[in-house]
Amino acid sequence: MENLKFWDAMRTPPVSALKPILAGRLKGKTDINPEWRYEAMTREFGPCGIGWKYELVRSWNEPTIDGQVFAFAEIKLYVCVEGQWSEPIPGLGGSMLVTSEREGLHASDEGYKMAITDSLSVAMKQLGVAADIYAGLWDGRKYRDKHEGET
């Protein structure tokens, strides 16, 4: 098996899966649609649970001194190649469970779900999923021009 086979196949997301981040500390970066990540994994390995799967190792929260609360999740991602399951690929991600806003504290009922999604993206990076974005090849229009005809 060629070492970069999966990396090369999943490195470049279509323009339709990308969204510029317009505000906050990540302004200027690019958000990648999680559904595209799952589609890329399914295309390369097969359906979730058959060709790739993950195990939730643990989830927890960490309060801050100002009342905000972080949600964290740790997962192990596995892929099946030629009938053999990989060793676990670790992923650790997080999101906000309680956020401080202008009107006060706001709780999210999706904090853990978003932490798991983040964990999956961290693990999938190690297989090359959306590697072009993380390698800094996105610089606005240049990337869109290069990949405009893709979907």
Side-chain angles (χ1 to χ4, degrees), residues 34-77:
E35 284 303 312
W36 176 81
R37 296 175 205 272
Y38 307 147
E39 178 185 338
M41 292 289 289
T42 299
R43 188 180 320 106
E44 293 307 311
F45 300 105
C48 184
I50 297 171
W52 66 280
K53 62 185 179 179
Y54 71 95
E55 169 190 348
L56 177 61
V57 176
R58 66 185 177 128
S59 60
W60 71 99
N61 65 64
E62 296 285 337
T64 66
I65 58 172
D66 62 358
Q68 296 188 98
V69 180
F70 290 97
F72 293 102
E74 178 183 1
I75 61 107
K76 292 179 181 177
L77 176 68

